[in-house]
Amino acid sequence: MRVNSAFTGFFSNRLVVGCGIAPVMLAIFLIASSFTEHSGLNLRAKQVNLMIRQTGHRLLLLAGDSTSRVLPVTEIKEGTFLLRFENEFVFNHDSLMALSQRLLPKAQFPSGYTVTVHDCIKGGIVYGFQVNNTSPDILACSGRSQPPGCYTIEFTFPDFYEKVKQKKADLGRLTESVEADTQVVHENVEESKTASFASDIDQRTEKSKTTTFDFPLMHVVYGGILMLLSATLVIGRFRKNSTLVPGQNQNSTIPNEPITEVAALGSFLFNTKAQHLLFGGEAITLTDKECKVLELLHKNFGELTPRETLMQEVWINEGVFTGRSLDMFVSKLRKKLSLDPELRITNVHGKGYKLEMSMPG
């Protein structure tokens, strides 16, 4: 009888531990999904925001305007971004079309996208085109130019967050699997107290499945409730059968890694923290000094950066340095930037260097 009692107690304790672990796993999925969805949406929106801003910048350069500002790009509704400018400008239809197709390749957008240019004062559409993957592109009024005026440009991407939402649906199916495992474990617990807690957990889990996946904040709330109930179940069971074990810390921290900020540089994305250039799907690594030189030139884009400034900022902690060292690093940077034929580092003899965009001939 003793052996049977010990075995039954051991098996019962294992079931209780299982009842506690399964809801904790479900809670972790609920909480993590809220942060994953939010980060995924933010990252995709920021990447497209940068490319649209770069489109506006290069459109002004082609119009001979290198001083007026490109105003912040805003997402006016899901998948629709608005590009605004500080001053009036003139542009060629073909230039806007070419820049959009180059900086926003349609292969990255399964449903394509639409670009429309609006008159700031009258509000009407003065030009537009549509890029498609499943049907021919709609490219109207090519070869024409718009007169000087106040314009805004809308970029609309159907199903913009489709990939992120698909990941959320996959996570939902995985959560349902965890819920099923939790229900099976609950059915094997004999104590009425355990059964009561299991029923409460099932009810709250069912509500979270049907109502919370569209509300990231509710993920955190219901996740916290599940974790507290699981802790109460496990601690209550072991308090009944043995001496009290000091409770473990119930607070769990969900890492929320900051999204690395990148800067648009011609056809590149310049990541100063990771020290590399992104060109399409290719990552070009930069050395520490190459990154510092390029960062200084980028801060003064279109303007002269004196040699003395570059040498002092980059080699400030080194005892001996020469102008040849600077020239060598600039030469290496030119090779790495050669993938974008319009981006160049110009040498101003005896004075310094200038990072700029070459005007088409």
Side-chain angles (χ1 to χ4, degrees):
M1 293 295 294
R2 274 188 185 175
V3 174
N4 185 46
S5 177
F7 176 78
T8 303
F10 172 77
F11 183 70
S12 178
N13 289 341
R14 291 284 297 274
L15 288 176
V16 173
V17 172
C19 288
I21 292 176
V24 169
M25 292 174 61
L26 177 59
I28 292 174
F29 279 123
L30 287 172
I31 297 173
S33 66
S34 66
F35 289 98
T36 302
E37 178 185 354
H38 185 262
S39 299
L41 296 176
N42 271 346
L43 178 59
R44 183 160 175 78
K46 282 192 175 185
Q47 289 172 340
V48 173
N49 189 303
L50 285 171
M51 291 297 94
I52 291 176
R53 188 173 180 83
Q54 177 68 357
T55 301
H57 165 68
R58 299 185 70 171
L59 194 63
L60 290 181
L61 288 179
L62 291 174
D65 183 354
S66 60
T67 57
S68 64
R69 294 184 304 138
V70 177
L71 299 179
V73 177
T74 55
E75 187 175 7
I76 56 178
K77 60 183 179 180
E78 186 176 282
T80 300
F81 296 81
L82 181 64
L83 174 62
R84 298 176 297 124
F85 302 87
E86 181 181 30
N87 297 326
E88 294 185 353
F89 67 100
V90 60
F91 71 94
N92 179 270
H93 293 180
D94 292 345
S95 297
L96 175 58
M97 191 185 306
L99 284 173
S100 300
Q101 292 177 332
R102 179 175 180 181
L103 296 175
L104 298 165
K106 63 181 180 180
Q108 297 182 11
F109 306 96
S111 299
Y113 57 90
T114 302
V115 179
T116 52
V117 182
H118 299 255
D119 188 300
C120 298
I121 301 174
K122 299 180 180 179
I125 298 177
V126 298
Y127 171 62
F129 61 89
Q130 187 177 61
V131 176
N132 298 298
N133 281 307
T134 57
S135 59
D137 297 339
I138 302 175
L139 308 174
C141 303
S142 60
R144 296 177 179 270
S145 296
Q146 285 297 129
C150 176
Y151 302 110
T152 61
I153 306 176
E154 280 190 13
F155 294 79
T156 303
F157 303 88
D159 305 325
F160 182 70
Y161 297 113
E162 183 178 1
K163 291 184 179 180
V164 176
K165 290 178 179 178
Q166 181 60 42
K167 291 180 180 179
K168 187 177 79 171
D170 294 341
L171 182 60
R173 288 192 292 270
L174 183 58
T175 304
E176 291 176 1
S177 175
V178 175
E179 291 173 7
D181 292 341
T182 303
Q183 187 176 2
V184 171
V185 174
H186 286 171
E187 291 174 355
N188 293 321
V189 180
E190 298 176 357
E191 289 79 358
S192 61
K193 179 178 178 180
T194 304
S196 176
F197 275 114
S199 176
D200 191 23
I201 291 172
D202 285 338
Q203 292 174 2
R204 293 181 182 275
T205 302
E206 182 64 21
K207 290 181 181 179
S208 70
K209 182 181 73 174
T210 58
T211 62
T212 64
F213 270 97
D214 292 331
F215 304 96
L217 180 60
M218 295 303 294
H219 291 197
V220 180
V221 174
Y222 279 97
I225 292 174
L226 284 170
M227 293 183 72
L228 288 175
L229 287 174
S230 302
T232 303
L233 175 65
V234 174
I235 293 174
R237 175 62 180 170
F238 281 101
R239 179 179 294 171
K240 179 179 178 181
N241 296 329
S242 60
T243 59
L244 181 64
V245 178
Q248 296 181 348
N249 181 18
Q250 299 298 320
N251 296 325
S252 63
T253 303
I254 302 298
N256 190 6
E257 299 180 358
I259 299 174
T260 305
E261 294 294 343
V262 293
L265 183 60
S267 298
F268 297 95
L269 289 179
F270 181 26
N271 189 324
T272 56
K273 186 175 181 180
Q275 294 188 355
H276 63 232
L277 290 166
L278 292 176
F279 184 83
E282 181 182 359
I284 304 170
T285 303
L286 300 173
T287 66
D288 183 59
K289 288 186 172 58
E290 288 174 349
C291 186
K292 288 180 179 178
V293 170
L294 185 57
E295 186 175 6
L296 288 171
L297 292 173
H298 181 250
K299 285 181 179 179
N300 300 318
F301 189 89
E303 299 178 2
L304 175 69
T305 304
R307 294 176 64 88
E308 294 76 11
T309 300
L310 291 167
M311 291 166 60
Q312 289 175 4
E313 292 288 337
V314 178
W315 284 272
I316 190 171
N317 294 323
E318 298 186 11
V320 179
F321 58 86
T322 64
R324 281 189 171 183
S325 299
L326 174 60
D327 297 335
M328 178 185 68
F329 281 102
V330 170
S331 177
K332 291 181 178 180
L333 282 174
R334 282 173 172 159
K335 291 181 180 179
K336 294 180 178 182
L337 296 175
S338 61
L339 292 174
D340 184 351
E342 296 181 10
L343 185 65
R344 64 184 181 184
I345 301 177
T346 304
N347 177 28
V348 180
H349 184 69
K351 294 183 179 181
Y353 293 96
K354 183 190 297 185
L355 181 63
E356 58 185 356
M357 299 291 298
S358 61
M359 299 299 293

